[in-house]
Amino acid sequence: MSKDPRRWLTVKPQGLYCAAGDFYVDPTRPVARAVITHGHADHARAGHGKVLATAETLAIMQSRFGEDCWGSAQAVGFGERIEIGGASVSLAPAGHVLGSAQAVLDHDGGRVVVSGDYKRRRDPTCAGFEPVPCDVFVTEATFALPVFRHPDDAGEIAKLLDSLRLFPNRTHLVGAYALGKAQRVIRLLREAGYDRTIFLHGALEALCTLYEGLGVALGPLEPVAGSKKDKAGEIVMCPPGALNDRWAAGFPDPVTAMASGWMRVRQRARQRGVELPLILSDHADWDELTRTLHDVGAPQVWITHGREEALAHYAQQAGFQAEALSLVGFEEGEDG
Amino acid sequence: MKRFADLMERLVYTGGRNAKLAILAEYFRTTPDPDRGWALAALTDGYETRLLTPAAVRKLAEARTDPVLFRLSYDYVGDLAETTALIWPEAEALPGEAPRLGEIVDTLARTSRARAPQHVEGWLDRLDGSGRYALLKLLMGGLRVGVSARLAKTALAQYGGKPIEEIEELWFGLTPPYGDLFAWLDGRTSAPQVDTSTLFRPVMLANPLEDGELDRLAPTDFRAEWKWDGIRVQLAARDGEARLFTRTGDEIGPAFPDIAGRADFDAVLDGELLVRREGEIRPFNDLQQRLGRKSVTAAMLRDYPAHLRVYDILFRGDRDLRPDPFETRRAELEAFVTGLNRDWLDLSPLVPFDDWDALRAIWDGTREAGIEGLMLKRVDASYTAGRPKGPWFKWKRAPLTADCVLMYAQRGHGKRSSLYSDFTFGCWRDGPDGAPELVPVGKAYSGYTDAELKEIDRWIRRNTVEKFGPVRSVIPEIVLEVAFDSVHPSKRHKSGIAMRFPRIHRLRTDKPAEEADRVETLAAMIEG
Ligand SMILES: [Zn+2]
Ligand SMILES: [Zn+2]
C-alpha cells in the first residue's frame, strides 16, 4: 500500500487538501492555492490566493464575486497538464454546468479524481462527463438513493409546454437555480421548439448574458422589469427562492413550476408549494452514480456531500472499498 | 392507468378550485368508459378495496430491491407507496402496454386477496413512476388529492351542463363505473332512473359562528337548538324498510338495529345519534363503543342503547319538505314526532331566547353531558344540501385546555412527511418511587402554524433522546397548551384517561416543564 493516496490527499477543516502540491480542491474557506471544479457557491468561494480552474469557471466566479475575487488565476483547458509542487493536475469535463470539471490529481504513481458535482446525461449547455480511470474516485452523493431516477429531460419540458396549452392565460413561473439550471431549461425549451421571448428575474440576467458570451445561445430573453400584468401565458424564469416571495405576486394567476431533482419526491415538491414540478437535475441520479463507479473502475471510492450511507453500501456490495468523507460546509444542494 | 396517474399527479399539485375543476372536466372529456367512471369512484370513495396491506407492499418492494437501500429510501421519502413506486426497478422499455384502470378493477374483482399482490407486481412492471404510485395508492386506500366528493360532482355538473342538485339527488342510487350517469351527461340518454325512496339525501351543514358575527344578525330571524355531542345521522324509512346514514351517506343501519329496525313509518328524518341510558344522554365515549362496527351484540344493545334525537324532517310520506322554510318543517316535525310516541326517538327542543345577550348567557352555561354548544337556524331557510353560507350556524362551546409536555414526535403525513409534526404529550403524576413522572395523555397532529412547526421540528432534531423508526423521544422540555373537547376514561392509556379532539393551541415557551398540568387535573374534567 505504499502508493496509498491517503498519504498525500487528506481532509482538513478548509476542505480536501493535496499535501503533495500544497493546494486544496474546492476549499470552503480562503486558502493560498485552490483548484476549483465549478462555479457553484459551495465549491467556488472568493478570497483565495491562487486559483486554478477552467476559463468558464473563472468567468463565472468573477461575475458572481467581482473581478478581484482572488490573488491570481490560471485558466486550464480540458486535458492540459499542470505541475503544482510534486503533484500533477489536469481537468476533465464533469457535465454539471458550464465550465464544470473533474480535478485529476497524479502523484507518486497514484491517481485521484475529484469529480466535484457531475451528471452523465446530455446537457446542451456544457461538455459531457468523461470517465477517467483512477485509483481513488471522489464522488458526490446528492441524489444517492435508488428513489432518485431522473426522467428524460424532453418529457419534463413537455409537461411545461402542456401546462401552457391547458392554462394559456396564466403566467408560468419557473424556479431554477441561477447558475446552470436556468440556462439549461431555456436551452431545452428552445430545442422543444419554444421560440417566444422568455422573461428573466433580475437574479438570472448576468449569468444568462455570461452564458451567451461563452457561446451558449439562449434565444430571445428579456428582463421582467416593469409590468407583470402583461405576462399572461408567458414563461418567466426566476431563482427558486423567488417563487414564494413578494416578487411572485402580481403575475396573472401564476402556475409555479420548479426545475429540480428534488421534485421527484412528492412531499418535497408540495412542501415548496410547487404546482408543476419538473424533475430536471444537474446532478447524477442513482443509476448514473452507480454506473459511474463501474465506468471509472477505481478500487477506492470516497463519497462526499449527500446521502453517503446508501452509496457506500452499494459500492461495498459491488466490491469497491468505499467510505464517506466528511467535508464541512456542503449543504444539501439548492443546485439540485 | 396512464391518464388516471396523470390526473392524480395534477390534482395533487394543483391548489386552486377552478384549476382542479378544469383538470377534472378535461379528464372526463378525454377518457373513455369505464375508466373515467372508476376514477370518479376512486375520487368519491366509491372504490375502496384496501386490497393491498402495507405489509404486502413492503414484501413486494423488498423482494425486488436491496433491503438496506429500501430502508434508507423509505426513511427519506416517508411514505411506503411513494417509496415503492420510486424505487421499483425499471426495465429499459416497459414490458407490454400499461394496464387500463378498468382492466385492473376487473381483474381484482375476480381475484382473492391472497393472490392480488401477484397481479400488482405484474402491473408495477408495466407502469412508469407516477402510474405505480397511483396504482399503489388506489389499492392501499388513501388517495389524497384534495378533491372532495362535492368538488368531483361539481366538475361532473359543469362537464355535463346539469345542475349539481340533480347529480346530488341521484348520486346515492348510482353505482360505479357510472356508465348511465356519463351517458346522461354526454347527452346520449335521459337521466338515470333511480328509486330514491330510501336513498340518502345530501345533508345541510352549518358554518361555524365567527367572532362578532352574531351582532350582524337579527335575533328574530333565527331559532336556536342545542348542538348535541353525538353523530349526525339521517333516517330514511319507507314501507317497513329503514336505512340509517351518516352525514356522508355511509349506511350504518345494520349496526343500529335499535334504530333502523324499529322505524316503521314513512319519513326521512335528520337528527343526532346518541346513547341514552335510564333516560339520560351519555357522553360521546359511550356512543364510541358502538361506532365503527359492522354488527352489534346483545350486551352492547343493553349497555349502550342508541337514541335518535331529531331536529329536521326532509320527507313526510311522499311530501318533499326540503323547499319549505325551517318554520314549516319544524311544525311538521313536531306534529310527526308527537304522533309517533316512541321511546327511542325524541324531538330536539328549541332553546327560547329574547336577544343575543340572553342566548350568550345560555351558551356560557353549556357544559353538560351531551351538549356541545348551540345551533342557529334561519326561520325562512329551505333545506339546502351542502354548506350554504348564512342559514345555519354552529356555535361550539369553548374548549378545555391543559398544559402538557412534549414526549414523543413522529414524522407527519402528506405535506408534513419530512417534518416531525405528530406529537405525543404527557402530564405529571407521582411515579412508583414518589418522584414525579410524565405519562402520555394524548396525541395531536394539527393546530400549529407552519412557522411553529419548523421551529419545533428543528428543536426535536437537536433534542432527541432515542429514535424508534419514525418516532423520536425528546428531552421533556417543551410545554404545549393543548385544547380538547372533553376527557374520558381509557384503559388503553397508561394515564387512564384520553382526550377527545386534542389539538395544539400554542407553545408555552414561558412555562417550565415542571409546571405543566398533572394527570389528576385532567381526570377531574371527566364528565358523566
Ligand atoms: Zn454544483
Ligand atoms: Zn455541490
Side-chain angles (χ1 to χ4, degrees), chain A residues 145-149 159 162-163 166-167 170 262-271 273-277 286 307 309-311 313-314 317 332, chain B residues 9-10 12-15 19 22-23 26 66 68-69 71-73 76-77 82-83 86-90 130 132-133 144 414-419:
Chain A
L145 280 176
V147 290
F148 290 110
R149 204 183 283 141
K159 277 205 255 174
D162 282 348
S163 176
L166 185 64
F167 301 112
R170 303 177 67 185
W262 301 114
M263 296 296 104
R264 172 90 169 157
V265 176
R266 275 172 180 72
Q267 303 312 341
R268 290 286 295 246
R270 291 180 66 185
Q271 247 168 45
V274 172
E275 214 172 320
L276 183 64
W286 174 256
R307 272 142 245 296
E309 193 181 348
L311 192 56
H313 171 79
Y314 171 87
Q317 301 285 306
E332 184 176 84
Chain B
E9 190 108 307
R10 287 176 115 160
V12 160
Y13 291 119
T14 303
I23 290 166
E26 156 111 346
D66 177 302
V68 174
L69 296 177
R71 177 179 57 77
L72 290 169
S73 297
Y76 175 80
V77 176
E82 180 161 22
T83 308
L86 292 176
I87 204 172
W88 197 259
E90 250 171 39
S130 59
R132 294 190 294 262
Y133 178 75
R144 276 187 300 255
K415 208 171 118 195
R416 291 171 164 176
S417 74
S418 66
L419 295 175

Side-chain angles (χ1 to χ4, degrees), chain A residues 38 40 43 96 117 335:
Chain A
H38 67 286
H40 279 147
H43 298 257
H96 177 54
D117 294 336
D335 62 332

Side-chain angles (χ1 to χ4, degrees), chain A residues 145-165:
Chain A
L145 280 176
V147 290
F148 290 110
R149 204 183 283 141
H150 309 324
D152 188 41
D153 295 351
E156 298 303 295
I157 291 296
K159 277 205 255 174
L160 176 56
L161 296 175
D162 282 348
S163 176
L164 269 171
R165 272 188 287 275

Side-chain angles (χ1 to χ4, degrees), chain A residues 37-309:
Chain A
T37 60
H38 67 286
H40 279 147
D42 54 341
H43 298 257
R45 307 202 179 208
H48 302 311
K50 292 180 175 163
V51 173
L52 188 142
T54 61
E56 292 88 349
T57 296
L58 293 176
I60 288 164
M61 287 176 74
Q62 280 182 315
S63 144
R64 300 194 121 183
F65 308 128
E67 297 285 317
D68 303 319
C69 60
W70 48 55
S72 68
Q74 183 177 3
V76 182
F78 291 133
E80 226 177 293
R81 191 148 281 284
I82 307 288
E83 305 300 322
I84 306 179
S88 151
V89 180
S90 69
L91 300 179
H96 177 54
V97 296
L98 182 60
S100 66
Q102 312 175 63
V104 182
L105 314 179
D106 287 281
H107 175 68
D108 197 15
R111 170 173 287 179
V112 180
V113 172
V114 184
S115 59
D117 294 336
Y118 66 93
K119 68 173 173 292
R120 300 299 303 275
R121 64 194 61 209
R122 172 184 168 276
D123 179 339
T125 67
C126 67
F129 180 95
E130 282 172 18
V132 179
C134 53
D135 303 301
V136 175
F137 183 62
V138 183
T139 180
E140 61 142 315
T142 307
F143 290 110
L145 280 176
V147 290
F148 290 110
R149 204 183 283 141
H150 309 324
D152 188 41
D153 295 351
E156 298 303 295
I157 291 296
K159 277 205 255 174
L160 176 56
L161 296 175
D162 282 348
S163 176
L164 269 171
R165 272 188 287 275
L166 185 64
F167 301 112
N169 297 317
R170 303 177 67 185
T171 305
H172 283 61
L173 290 181
V174 182
Y177 200 65
L179 168 57
K181 187 69 59 65
Q183 296 78 20
R184 178 165 159 230
V185 169
I186 294 171
R187 264 306 280 253
L188 290 170
L189 279 165
R190 300 305 184 207
E191 289 185 352
Y194 186 80
D195 51 14
R196 293 177 63 82
T197 297
I198 293 173
F199 294 87
L200 301 180
H201 180 282
L204 305 185
E205 287 172 34
L207 283 163
C208 285
T209 309
L210 184 80
Y211 260 62
E212 293 235 74
L214 292 170
V216 181
L218 300 175
L221 303 176
E222 249 178 58
V224 168
S227 169
K228 291 176 181 167
K229 283 204 197 67
D230 62 1
K231 302 294 183 289
E234 304 291 357
I235 293 179
V236 176
M237 307 280 308
C238 64
L243 286 178
N244 302 323
D245 74 22
R246 294 230 322 259
W247 175 84
F251 288 104
D253 193 13
V255 174
T256 54
M258 172 121 98
S260 161
W262 301 114
M263 296 296 104
R264 172 90 169 157
V265 176
R266 275 172 180 72
Q267 303 312 341
R268 290 286 295 246
R270 291 180 66 185
Q271 247 168 45
R272 306 217 42 164
V274 172
E275 214 172 320
L276 183 64
L278 305 173
I279 310 167
L280 284 168
S281 175
D282 283 331
H283 292 271
D285 68 6
W286 174 256
D287 294 342
E288 293 170 57
L289 288 168
T290 53
R291 173 160 69 94
T292 303
L293 299 189
H294 296 282
D295 287 354
V296 169
Q300 278 194 56
V301 178
W302 298 353
I303 305 167
T304 74
H305 59 312
R307 272 142 245 296
E308 293 92 347
E309 193 181 348

